[in-house]
Amino acid sequence: MVKSCFSFGSGLASWFRARISDPLLQILRKGTEPKKLAFSASLGITLGVFPICGVTVFLCGIALALFRSQCHAATMMLANFIATPIELSLMIPFLRFGDFITGGPKFPLTSDAFKKFLTGQASREILYSIYHALLGWVVTAPMLFGALYIALVPGFMILTRRFAATGPSTPKKPSSSPRKQVTSPSTSEVKLKIRDV
C-alpha cells in the first residue's frame, strides 16, 4: 500500500515536471520580456476559466491572432492548460453570479434537473444557465485579468532574472601569457562596417 502511494507520488511529480515545470523553464530561459510573459499568462488563465469546456483553446488561438506581437504563444497555452482544473471548479460560481446579475430564477443543480437534461426536457433552462454562466464570466474576466497581470509581473521579473540564459556555464580561464588578447568585432560592428562601404 505504501509503495503504491509512493509510486503514484513519483509519477505525479514526473508528470508535473514534464508538463509544467520543464516547459516553463524553457520559456524563461529564452529571455522573453517579463511583462509580455505576464500578459500572456494572465490572458491564458482568464480565457482558460471560460465556463464552456472545450472552447478555451480556440479562444486562445483567436487571442493569439489578435495580439500577435504582445503575446507569447507558449506561455498562453501553458497557462490555459494549468487553468483547466480551475475552469471546472468555477463553472457553478459563474452560473450563480450570472443568476444574481440577471435576477432570474436559479438553475437547480439536483438529480431531477440532471434527469430532465438527459431526457431533453430542460433545454430552455440549460440555455439560460449557459447564458448566466457566460454573463458571470464576462463581468469577472476583466477584473481577473487585471489582478493576475499585476500579480504576475513581479513574479516573472524575478524568474526571468534567475533563469535567463547567460551563456555557457563554465567559467573562462584567464590567459597565462602576458600577450595582449585580440578580440574580434561583434556582429553589429561588422554589419555597420559593411553598410558603410
Side-chain angles (χ1 to χ4, degrees):
M1 176 76 175
V2 173
K3 188 176 183 179
S4 66
C5 290
F6 180 72
S7 65
F8 174 74
S10 66
L12 184 62
S14 65
W15 177 88
F16 183 82
R17 190 178 325 103
R19 301 280 185 218
I20 296 173
S21 179
D22 289 345
L24 180 62
L25 287 174
Q26 288 175 359
I27 290 168
L28 292 171
R29 287 183 179 137
K30 290 190 180 191
T32 308
E33 185 178 333
K35 289 183 179 182
K36 186 175 186 178
L37 292 173
F39 179 81
S40 302
S42 301
L43 193 57
I45 292 172
T46 302
L47 295 175
V49 297
F50 189 75
I52 299 176
C53 290
V55 179
T56 59
V57 173
F58 297 113
L59 290 176
C60 285
I62 292 169
L64 285 170
L66 292 175
F67 300 112
R68 290 180 186 152
S69 63
Q70 289 101 2
C71 281
H72 189 258
T75 305
M76 181 184 285
M77 296 312 284
L78 181 63
N80 184 13
F81 175 71
I82 292 170
T84 301
I86 302 167
E87 170 193 20
L88 298 174
S89 65
L90 286 178
M91 283 185 177
I92 294 174
F94 283 142
L95 171 65
R96 293 301 179 220
F97 187 57
D99 290 341
F100 173 75
I101 291 171
T102 60
K106 292 185 178 182
F107 183 75
L109 299 172
T110 62
S111 60
D112 292 335
F114 186 66
K115 287 177 187 174
K116 286 182 178 180
F117 166 71
L118 291 176
T119 59
Q121 297 173 356
S123 58
R124 175 174 275 175
E125 291 88 7
I126 291 172
L127 289 177
Y128 282 134
S129 69
I130 292 171
Y131 166 71
H132 289 174
L134 290 175
L135 182 64
W137 178 82
V138 165
V139 170
T140 58
M143 293 177 282
L144 176 65
F145 174 79
L148 285 170
Y149 182 75
I150 290 169
L152 290 175
V153 167
F156 275 119
M157 285 182 170
I158 293 168
L159 289 173
T160 52
R161 262 186 269 143
R162 182 167 181 198
F163 294 107
T166 58
S169 60
T170 58
K172 294 182 180 179
K173 295 180 181 178
S175 176
S176 60
S177 65
R179 293 185 304 170
K180 186 176 178 181
Q181 293 182 354
V182 178
T183 58
S184 62
S186 67
T187 56
S188 61
E189 291 175 356
V190 171
K191 288 179 182 177
L192 290 174
K193 288 180 181 177
I194 292 173
R195 289 182 185 168
D196 290 340
V197 172

